[in-house]
Amino acid sequence: AQSVTQPDIHITVSEGASLELRCNYSYGATPYLFWYVQSPGQGLQLLLKYFSGDTLVQGIKGFEAEFKRSQSSFNLRKPSVHWSDAAEYFCAVAIVTGKLIFGQGTTLQVKP
Amino acid sequence: DAGITQSPRHKVTETGTPVTLRCHQTENHRYMYWYRQDPGHGLRLIHYSYGVKDTDKGEVSDGYSVSRSKTEDFLLTLESATSSQTSVYFCAISDGTGDPMNTEAFFGQGTRLTVV
């Protein structure tokens, strides 16, 4: 069955430090992958997406993600975290018929 | 922001009563989805629609039904609400033009439902 795993439930980083959020997927065909961010009390906003081509994709707010087929991973990175990046982050995979399967989410806390 | 309106935004209801949540879009997108969000579970798909009167079940569809009689409206009904259905419910839409997976999903602001 298709699934998405985000191994880290909660991550704390210092402001200005680098960030990497992990995402592993299980899907037999070529995956369509997404990262979303959710601020408290808000809906989800798309950060970036991967469909094909270059395995390093750039998104909004200075985020990037790298698709690694051999590791079934799509990790999200940011070189320098800002206090406003504190939020919950979700990785998702789109499967046949357009359904989106989400991971459990990673909550990011930023220390001043 | 994509034109998605969920109503109501907050609701408290009693166990055993039916509840209907509404999602209205102004984008003329083909695909519409209902998810529930619970701590530790992320977002789980309840039902989705790929056109008027065309719907299918997601992974947590028990106790829920949906209807889509118009492109712009997707209704989620809890037939007899239970405390386990206390959650935040999100509606999402996607274009689906050509390749249904080659588009992102846009989310509404959510409906917080409490069943007491």
Side-chain angles (χ1 to χ4, degrees), chain B residues 37-87:
Chain B
Q37 183 178 24
D38 304 290
H41 292 277
L43 281 84
R44 292 179 291 175
L45 182 64
I46 305 171
H47 283 278
Y48 71 108
S49 169
Y50 43 96
V52 173
K53 292 185 168 49
D54 291 325
T55 65
D56 203 353
K57 296 179 180 180
E59 63 178 306
V60 290
S61 59
D62 287 347
Y64 300 94
S65 62
V66 291
S67 66
R68 190 169 180 200
S69 58
K70 298 184 291 185
T71 298
E72 57 266 35
D73 290 323
F74 192 33
L75 305 181
L76 176 70
T77 297
L78 287 66
E79 294 141 9
S80 177
T82 67
S83 58
S84 65
Q85 294 175 312
T86 293
S87 186

Side-chain angles (χ1 to χ4, degrees), chain B residues 30-31 95-102:
Chain B
R30 178 182 174 190
Y31 286 78
D95 188 352
T97 302
D99 182 351
M101 294 187 282
N102 197 26

Side-chain angles (χ1 to χ4, degrees), chain B residues 2 5 15-16 20 23 28 34 38 41-42 52 55 80 83 88 93 115:
Chain B
T5 304
T15 298
T20 296
C23 178
N28 200 37
W34 277 109
D38 304 290
H41 292 277
V52 173
T55 65
S80 177
S83 58
V88 181
I93 64 174
V115 183

Side-chain angles (χ1 to χ4, degrees), chain A residues 94-109:
Chain A
I95 65 174
V96 174
T97 72
K99 286 193 287 187
L100 273 174
I101 305 295
F102 283 84
Q104 302 90 327
T106 298
T107 299
L108 173 64
Q109 183 179 0

